[in-house]
Amino acid sequence: MITVHHLEKSRSQRVLWLLEEMGLPYELRLYKRHPQTMLAPPELQSVHPLGKSPVITDGDITMAESGAIIEYLTQAYEQGQALVPARGSVEWRRYIYWLHFAEGSMMPPLLLKLIFNRVRTAPMPFFVKPIARGIADKVTGAFVEPNLKRLLAFMEAELGGRPWFAGEQFSAADVQMSFPLEAAAARGGLDASYTNLSTWLARVHARPAYKRAIDKGGPFSIPG
């Protein structure tokens, strides 16, 4: 039996979604974030040394990292074959690209945006606040936001000729891309002006397996 160690409001939501798309049975163990720090609880360290989510166990196998979990599940179980394009095809090359793009290119500036947003509102001595906010505004305006706009424009163009990231068919790459685009909608500038991306998100939210994953994993939102 596959066990998903699911941290609320985290990347592990897409692992639940993948398993629902594959129709595989799994056990769900839910972990709550610390209400002040929003960090994962120490109990997760008993599953994986880094104490982070997502992480799954499958018998004596423990897998962490969203991309690695997706590759493992789609290769280890026959039900995953339909979610991976034929190896060597144009769609497969796109699939591999977006599977790695999600965390390698899209998430770093989104994380920086979150960090600097928190710097602006963090409690600190009054005489330090203008300096901290000035640094946060400078880095965000000069580096983070221009990068996010370039990335969003790139993805918007890529979805101009096809409904899903790998091609005409939904794939596990779309599962992997869901978290950064949810984060971009929350804090990265993704709005209705990006028609293709907004349509893609609506299409994702309408999938029955996505809805089942939300029902099982709990309310899903990403801090702005």
Side-chain angles (χ1 to χ4, degrees):
M1 173 68 73
I2 298 166
T3 299
V4 181
H5 299 270
H6 172 53
L7 178 65
E8 63 175 346
K9 302 176 183 178
S10 77
R11 288 165 167 84
S12 59
Q13 184 63 42
R14 57 188 169 187
V15 176
L16 300 183
W17 178 24
L18 176 68
L19 288 166
E20 291 293 334
E21 291 283 356
M22 293 172 64
L24 287 175
Y26 60 92
E27 178 185 353
L28 178 63
R29 294 187 186 173
L30 179 61
Y31 299 79
K32 297 287 188 179
R33 292 181 179 274
H34 189 282
Q36 277 76 49
T37 66
M38 295 303 291
L39 296 176
E43 290 82 0
L44 267 172
Q45 289 184 338
S46 66
V47 185
H48 188 277
L50 293 181
K52 296 182 179 181
S53 184
V55 59
I56 67 167
T57 51
D58 187 9
D60 60 355
I61 297 170
T62 299
M63 293 292 296
E65 293 291 341
S66 299
I69 291 170
I70 287 174
E71 291 208 54
Y72 167 75
L73 290 172
T74 55
Q75 291 177 26
Y77 290 91
E78 183 179 355
Q79 295 92 326
Q81 293 178 7
L83 298 178
V84 180
R87 184 173 292 272
S89 65
V90 172
E91 291 78 10
W92 180 79
R93 290 195 293 273
R94 291 193 194 116
Y95 167 84
I96 292 297
Y97 176 77
W98 294 111
L99 198 64
H100 293 277
F101 175 95
E103 293 293 333
S105 292
M106 194 61 195
M107 281 308 300
L110 286 168
L111 180 59
L112 287 173
K113 184 75 179 291
L114 175 64
I115 291 170
F116 285 116
N117 284 349
R118 290 186 175 178
V119 166
R120 292 187 185 93
T121 59
M124 63 185 75
F126 73 92
F127 55 86
V128 177
K129 281 186 179 181
I131 299 172
R133 288 175 180 173
I135 293 171
D137 289 343
K138 183 70 173 178
V139 176
T140 301
F143 175 73
V144 178
E145 289 180 349
N147 269 282
L148 285 172
K149 288 179 180 179
R150 184 162 55 250
L151 290 163
L152 288 170
F154 170 62
M155 290 184 290
E156 176 75 6
E158 286 290 302
L159 286 177
R162 54 183 180 270
W164 301 106
F165 276 100
E168 293 298 317
Q169 302 298 318
F170 173 82
S171 75
D174 295 291
V175 176
Q176 177 76 332
M177 284 296 295
S178 63
F179 188 85
L181 284 175
E182 296 278 12
R187 62 172 178 264
L190 173 53
D191 56 28
S193 66
Y194 294 95
T195 307
N196 297 329
L197 290 173
S198 297
T199 301
W200 179 89
L201 266 179
R203 198 179 295 122
V204 162
H205 294 163
R207 292 186 71 85
Y210 183 91
K211 294 178 180 179
R212 291 195 300 271
I214 295 294
D215 289 342
K216 294 180 180 180
F220 179 65
S221 62
I222 297 177

